[in-house]
Amino acid sequence: MTDQQPAIRLTGLTKEFGAVTAVDHVDLEIAAGEFFSMLGPSGSGKTTVLRLIAGFEQPTDGTIELFGQDVTKRAPFDRDVNTVFQDYALFPHMNVIDNVAYGLRVRGIGRKERNERAARALASVRLEQLAGRKPSQLSGGQRQRVALARATVVEPKVLLLDEPLGALDLKLREQMQVELKEIQRDLGITFIFVTHDQEEALTLSDRIAVFNNGRIEQLGTPDELYERPTSRFVADFVGTSNLFDHERSVALLGRAGHHSVRPEKMTVTHDGLDGDGVVNVHGTVVEAIYLGSGVRLVVDLDDGTRVTVLEQNVRGRAHDDERGDRVVVSWHDDDVVPLGTEVLPGISG
């Protein structure tokens, strides 16, 4: 965070739907020009927070500030924000440039100026050559970019994105992740992105808030959340982790409390590894799953703990492990992440 006025400040934000508390006293600041993601499973409260910022819902308690101005009671059209939804909601009877210019038309901008601004917005998403087409003549990725152009042409201070890549196939979604980050960087405005896809959040974001049960479980940069999760929920939701309760932490790691080790931090060999701080534990391979870019090995350690190991598919792999093979699982003590003293319901791979 910087000394600049935050784009969004949420203070004690709460939203109740009858007996259900969807958002539970959330405090959050989002910096100007930041690509900020709200990540969590369905029902975690992330989408409700986005709708509260947009003005589509009114909070039960708390305040919402936009660049220092309290907008808690303002209608959606009276907030300098815009929203891109998953279904894009383009007008099928209008061509691309008229779709993009629609928000300017509603604001009473003259035809010449709105067409010029719409053309610039289309150029920013590299679609100026498709200005005359109808939405039905566009691919999913092109419709997504038109929706972005329409949302940004009115020059909002904050752009809200409600899982806008969710309807795209995997290849196109990965391509659009790169393009979306480039567009945000070029425009320089604050993006608030809602997703349940942890890989998407890690790829796009400057910072991420991980939501769980209406609260922010952890807030940080992608590498902070991945490398240093502070709870079992974050360790397990953001990527995959091997989780060790207190008893197994003491037995395997020589540490009290609860801990995690990422699968890619572990190594499988037949003889173990040498070096200071290296832990070697014997076990049996119960599953070997070929992933193309790597191999996921599920190993039952001799004490009954099941762990997952991710090996990169690199040239010169010494052996191909198969079910039933006796192996040694190794990891470095520096790769063990403490998770505090919370109760862990078993070991997760």
Side-chain angles (χ1 to χ4, degrees), residues 226-227 240 242 260-268 273 279 308-311 329-337:
Y226 190 84
E227 300 291 346
T240 303
N242 297 293
S260 73
V261 182
R262 294 289 186 186
E264 68 274 14
K265 307 292 188 181
M266 291 182 164
T267 303
V268 168
L273 301 178
V279 178
T308 298
V309 182
L310 182 61
E311 291 191 336
V329 179
S330 307
W331 61 87
H332 199 281
D333 194 57
D334 289 345
D335 293 323
V336 177
V337 178

Side-chain angles (χ1 to χ4, degrees), residues 251-327:
L252 291 171
L253 310 175
R255 301 186 186 193
H258 306 279
H259 300 83
S260 73
V261 182
R262 294 289 186 186
E264 68 274 14
K265 307 292 188 181
M266 291 182 164
T267 303
V268 168
T269 62
H270 286 303
D271 303 315
L273 301 178
D274 296 324
D276 294 338
V278 173
V279 178
N280 293 302
V281 184
H282 290 270
T284 302
V285 175
V286 295
E287 195 63 72
I289 303 166
Y290 180 70
L291 304 174
S293 61
V295 178
R296 181 185 299 132
L297 298 171
V298 181
V299 181
D300 280 348
L301 304 181
D302 286 352
D303 75 338
T305 302
R306 175 165 290 188
V307 297
T308 298
V309 182
L310 182 61
E311 291 191 336
Q312 292 298 310
N313 186 5
V314 295
R315 188 180 302 277
R317 245 179 124 240
H319 57 274
D320 293 318
D321 299 294
E322 297 181 351
R323 287 192 298 273
D325 283 359
R326 290 289 295 167
V327 295

Side-chain angles (χ1 to χ4, degrees), residues 195-257:
T195 182
H196 64 273
D197 186 323
Q198 50 90 16
E199 184 175 327
E200 195 165 81
L202 293 173
T203 299
L204 290 168
S205 312
D206 297 316
R207 288 190 306 148
I208 303 168
V210 181
F211 278 77
N212 184 29
N213 294 326
R215 292 177 175 268
I216 294 176
E217 186 90 8
Q218 188 174 346
L219 173 66
T221 63
D223 66 293
E224 286 170 346
L225 294 179
Y226 190 84
E227 300 291 346
R228 296 182 293 282
T230 57
S231 70
R232 176 196 184 276
F233 178 83
V234 175
D236 207 27
F237 189 77
V238 182
T240 303
S241 283
N242 297 293
L243 304 175
F244 302 92
D245 61 16
H246 172 73
E247 180 182 352
R248 284 168 173 163
S249 289
V250 170
L252 291 171
L253 310 175
R255 301 186 186 193

Side-chain angles (χ1 to χ4, degrees), residues 14-298:
T14 302
K15 179 62 178 179
E16 297 172 351
F17 295 97
V20 177
T21 301
V23 179
D24 191 3
H25 295 88
V26 168
D27 296 318
L28 177 64
E29 289 189 2
I30 300 173
E34 186 173 23
F35 198 123
F36 189 91
S37 289
M38 296 190 289
L39 172 68
S42 297
S44 61
K46 61 189 187 301
T47 300
T48 303
V49 170
L50 192 82
R51 292 179 60 82
L52 289 165
I53 294 171
F56 301 143
E57 302 281 356
Q58 282 295 306
T60 306
D61 197 10
T63 59
I64 303 165
E65 294 179 35
L66 176 64
F67 286 94
Q69 298 295 313
D70 189 338
V71 298
T72 310
K73 302 295 185 182
R74 292 187 187 178
F77 60 81
D78 199 25
R79 305 183 186 202
D80 203 354
V81 302
N82 216 338
T83 308
V84 178
F85 299 100
Q86 184 174 338
D87 62 4
Y88 313 142
L90 302 177
F91 297 112
H93 63 286
M94 292 183 182
N95 62 21
V96 165
I97 197 162
D98 287 342
N99 261 286
V100 174
Y102 182 76
L104 299 173
R105 178 181 170 187
V106 170
R107 287 164 173 77
I109 305 298
R111 177 182 292 275
K112 184 174 184 296
E113 182 181 348
R114 69 174 182 255
N115 283 344
E116 289 174 350
R117 288 173 61 177
R120 288 197 298 271
L122 278 176
S124 74
V125 296
R126 296 175 290 282
L127 284 182
E128 59 269 35
Q129 74 280 8
L130 303 182
R133 290 192 184 181
K134 296 290 181 61
S136 61
Q137 297 173 300
L138 304 177
S139 69
Q142 288 168 340
R143 288 196 295 272
Q144 199 258 9
R145 282 186 277 173
V146 172
L148 276 173
R150 185 180 63 179
T152 58
V153 73
V154 295
E155 300 176 352
K157 290 182 178 178
V158 176
L159 187 64
L160 310 174
L161 301 106
D162 187 8
E163 305 209 40
L165 308 183
L168 305 179
D169 61 56
L170 177 60
K171 264 300 200 197
L172 186 54
R173 190 161 70 245
E174 290 174 346
Q175 176 187 335
M176 284 307 305
Q177 287 171 7
V178 175
E179 294 193 8
L180 191 61
K181 183 62 179 175
E182 290 177 350
I183 289 167
Q184 189 267 341
R185 192 180 296 115
D186 290 343
L187 293 173
I189 65 176
T190 305
F191 276 29
I192 303 178
F193 187 87
V194 163
T195 182
H196 64 273
D197 186 323
Q198 50 90 16
E199 184 175 327
E200 195 165 81
L202 293 173
T203 299
L204 290 168
S205 312
D206 297 316
R207 288 190 306 148
I208 303 168
V210 181
F211 278 77
N212 184 29
N213 294 326
R215 292 177 175 268
I216 294 176
E217 186 90 8
Q218 188 174 346
L219 173 66
T221 63
D223 66 293
E224 286 170 346
L225 294 179
Y226 190 84
E227 300 291 346
R228 296 182 293 282
T230 57
S231 70
R232 176 196 184 276
F233 178 83
V234 175
D236 207 27
F237 189 77
V238 182
T240 303
S241 283
N242 297 293
L243 304 175
F244 302 92
D245 61 16
H246 172 73
E247 180 182 352
R248 284 168 173 163
S249 289
V250 170
L252 291 171
L253 310 175
R255 301 186 186 193
H258 306 279
H259 300 83
S260 73
V261 182
R262 294 289 186 186
E264 68 274 14
K265 307 292 188 181
M266 291 182 164
T267 303
V268 168
T269 62
H270 286 303
D271 303 315
L273 301 178
D274 296 324
D276 294 338
V278 173
V279 178
N280 293 302
V281 184
H282 290 270
T284 302
V285 175
V286 295
E287 195 63 72
I289 303 166
Y290 180 70
L291 304 174
S293 61
V295 178
R296 181 185 299 132
L297 298 171
V298 181

